[in-house]
Amino acid sequence: MRARMLWFVAGTTAGVYGTVKARRLATRLTPTGLADQLAAVQLGASAFLAEMRVGMADRQLQIAERLGIDPADLRSVDVAAAAADRLAAPPSPAALDAARPALPATPGNDTR
């Protein structure tokens, strides 16, 4: 008798759980439910992008401090335009050689 009661309760619980899940799914698939889901995705994306912008600005200031650049000078630089210029015209080999730091003279390093 106890086993039958256990299976009755288990079946009833599964039925109620399945009914609740089916109703929630049906509500989500209505036009109002889809609009709510789209609004939630847009809100999440805008919050994520705002966090990314704050993080990028913080990181840019950290890099400027390490390089000894005045952070006020960064505001006048259009980062997107500078990146586009670098991608459009790669540096010449001579410019790369001039920018490369000189290695210290060591026994395994011939600096001639």
Side-chain angles (χ1 to χ4, degrees), residues 57-100:
D58 288 345
R59 184 64 181 145
Q60 187 177 18
L61 289 175
Q62 289 173 359
I63 292 171
E65 288 175 2
R66 281 195 175 174
L67 294 175
I69 299 172
D70 184 18
D73 293 340
L74 294 177
R75 302 203 191 285
S76 64
V77 175
D78 184 7
V79 176
D85 289 344
R86 282 195 304 264
L87 292 175
S92 67
L96 289 175
D97 287 339
R100 186 175 295 131

Side-chain angles (χ1 to χ4, degrees), residues 30-59:
T30 63
T32 304
L34 292 173
D36 289 344
Q37 290 179 39
L38 181 61
V41 168
Q42 289 174 339
L43 180 64
S46 65
F48 175 73
L49 290 174
E51 288 291 325
M52 287 295 297
R53 285 187 198 105
V54 169
M56 288 187 325
D58 288 345
R59 184 64 181 145

